[in-house]
Amino acid sequence: MPTRNPKPFRLIFQYALPLRLQFSGGRNMWIGRRGLILTAFLLFTVGALCLLKEPMEMMTVQPARIGDRLPSLPAETLDGEKTTIDLIGRFSYIVFFKINCIHCRKQLKNAEELMRMPGYKGLHVNAIAKSYHEELPNLPYAMPTYIDHSSVLTGRLGRMRVPTVVITDRAGYIRHIRSAYRPIEQDHKLLNDLIPDRSRPAGTATLR
């Protein structure tokens, strides 16, 4: 029968461990196998907790639904100042995004176009980035752009995917929420269905 080769890890633990460390004082210290195994386990655990931070937050939060009230959002300006986005008094269209997300760029472009439509002058449009990026100040949009420093997306809204779009009414109640990109025609129809006066032609809605 052919001889079975030892597993690489078995060789490491047999010949490479324990390791000998040389200190500047001339003293030597031997680290046993148990010590290295424990150290590796601790490092792995810390790394896993960092990676699972957002999923762990979502496990304790009920995802936001239509009808939930969202009167304001804590945020941070691109200059690093803490602020609050007031969502009371007018319809609001908020896009949560990441700078390196292709579908987010498309959704932001649609939001900018909706904001510029004459019939949607009362629409309060905001873009909120999940984290700061050096390219944020260079985005070609006129709508206010903020940073989600308080993890509103994963915490208060219970969402991880981007783009996430939230539409609230004048009283601050969520009328629409999704974590997906949609063409502007669908959002255009959605906004006209949400406004009180549905008899107006498309694109002539008055939101204030």
Side-chain angles (χ1 to χ4, degrees):
M1 294 180 63
T3 304
R4 184 178 180 182
N5 293 328
K7 294 182 179 180
F9 287 107
R10 186 180 301 172
L11 288 174
I12 293 174
F13 280 97
Q14 182 176 355
Y15 297 105
L17 300 177
L19 297 177
R20 188 179 185 183
L21 300 181
Q22 181 74 31
F23 291 89
S24 59
R27 294 181 301 171
N28 298 325
M29 184 181 75
W30 291 86
I31 300 180
R33 299 174 187 174
R34 292 182 181 178
L36 282 178
I37 293 174
L38 179 59
T39 303
F41 175 76
L42 290 175
L43 291 175
F44 174 80
T45 303
V46 172
L49 289 175
C50 292
L51 292 175
L52 295 175
K53 179 182 178 182
E54 289 188 354
M56 289 178 67
E57 288 178 350
M58 291 191 60
M59 291 174 62
T60 60
V61 176
Q62 181 71 24
R65 296 173 296 181
I66 294 176
D68 291 347
R69 197 159 189 263
L70 193 69
S72 62
L73 287 174
E76 181 178 305
T77 67
L78 299 184
D79 297 327
E81 297 181 4
K82 302 296 188 298
T83 186
T84 300
I85 305 174
D86 185 12
L87 304 180
I88 299 296
R90 51 186 172 174
F91 275 77
S92 297
Y93 184 102
I94 306 107
V95 181
F96 289 86
F97 71 98
K98 291 178 66 176
I99 195 72
N100 57 349
C101 167
I102 296 177
H103 290 295
C104 295
R105 295 292 186 104
K106 294 179 180 179
Q107 195 67 66
L108 290 173
K109 182 179 179 181
N110 291 353
E112 180 82 1
E113 188 172 342
L114 287 171
M115 185 184 70
R116 293 179 181 277
M117 286 183 177
Y120 293 133
K121 288 182 179 180
L123 186 63
H124 188 210
V125 179
N126 293 279
I128 304 179
K130 285 192 65 176
S131 59
Y132 180 79
H133 193 280
E134 58 183 5
E135 292 185 14
L136 285 177
N138 301 323
L139 291 178
Y141 308 120
M143 59 185 163
T145 303
Y146 302 93
I147 303 168
D148 186 14
H149 74 96
S150 299
S151 299
V152 171
L153 181 63
T154 56
R156 194 167 178 181
L157 299 180
R159 303 270 176 152
M160 284 189 64
R161 295 176 55 189
V162 288
T164 289
V165 176
V166 182
I167 300 177
T168 60
D169 60 17
R170 298 187 185 95
Y173 287 96
I174 297 176
R175 303 292 299 276
H176 174 80
I177 182 170
R178 70 171 187 269
S179 294
Y181 162 76
R182 285 186 183 177
I184 190 171
E185 293 80 11
Q186 295 186 24
D187 276 345
H188 187 79
K189 181 179 182 303
L190 175 64
L191 287 170
N192 280 282
D193 289 340
L194 289 177
I195 61 176
D197 187 358
R198 301 185 183 184
S199 62
R200 294 176 178 271
T204 62
T206 302
L207 301 180
R208 295 187 68 177

